[in-house]
Amino acid sequence: MNWWAVSRDVPTLAAVTAVTAGAGLAFGQSLIPVPAMVGGAGHFLLAALITVVPAVTWLAFTGRARGATESVAVRAVHRFDTSLAVGCATLALGMAVLGHFAGAEPVALSIGRNTAFYLGLALILNPLTGARIAAPVLTAVPLVLAVGGWKSGGGIAQPWAVVLHPAASTAALLAGVAVLVAGATFSSLKPPRNVSG
């Protein structure tokens, strides 16, 4: 599987995931001013924005191969890609847990949760739209959540706005992991959309 690892640039993707998680642990508490659609501005942490980077990078690396070429491969390449995304999410979750127990920023657990959430969304979008469309759509998700994810009156996130919930929210952690599991299941059963390129 050397050709697959080279075409996906697995070491670089792992490094991007680790650096993103590390940057989130160091600077994730920084607030980004974003006006909310209902009421005043909500508190949008940098940790909710930068954790989309591994998912967009995964889409870029897995989407650069021609779908027509890989669709005739003997092995189900999309299942390797799914495993790669799950591995990246596991790396980010592991770093977040270690950071939490090492006394890092209170936002530590949300770094892993948000990375898993975005990778799960990427795994769902990729088979439906293809990587070229999924990447910009996924990049817009944190901005949509930042603007429309707050309840009126501000301060409290909508239940569906997983990345906006406090780091200690067990429900948000379970939701983020559930999106990852759902995405991995969907992506392993349905190959990416064949987009000529």
Side-chain angles (χ1 to χ4, degrees), residues 28-77:
Q29 282 292 106
S30 302
L31 289 173
I32 300 171
V34 178
M37 292 185 81
V38 285
H43 302 289
F44 191 63
L45 296 175
L46 184 63
L49 180 62
I50 65 169
T51 47
V52 77
V53 172
V56 172
T57 306
W58 176 85
L59 283 166
F61 287 2
T62 59
R64 62 184 171 191
R66 289 182 53 103
T69 305
E70 292 190 349
S71 65
V72 297
V74 174
R75 295 181 178 159
V77 177

Side-chain angles (χ1 to χ4, degrees), residues 89 93 112-114 116-117 120 162 170-184:
L93 283 164
R113 173 197 72 202
N114 295 350
F117 174 76
V162 175
T170 304
L173 176 63
L174 292 175
V177 172
V179 169
L180 177 66
V181 170

Side-chain angles (χ1 to χ4, degrees), residues 6 18 22 67 92 94 132 137 154 163-164 167 174 181:
V6 170
R132 291 182 184 163
V137 168
V163 300
L164 300 179
L174 292 175
V181 170

Side-chain angles (χ1 to χ4, degrees), residues 2 4 27-28 32 48 53 116 126 129 134 143 159 168 184:
N2 286 342
W4 173 82
F27 307 110
I32 300 171
V53 172
N126 193 32
T129 65
L143 303 176

Side-chain angles (χ1 to χ4, degrees), residues 78-95:
H78 67 282
R79 291 194 178 124
F80 293 123
D81 293 340
T82 299
S83 298
L84 180 59
V86 171
C88 288
T90 303
L91 173 63
L93 283 164
M95 287 182 67

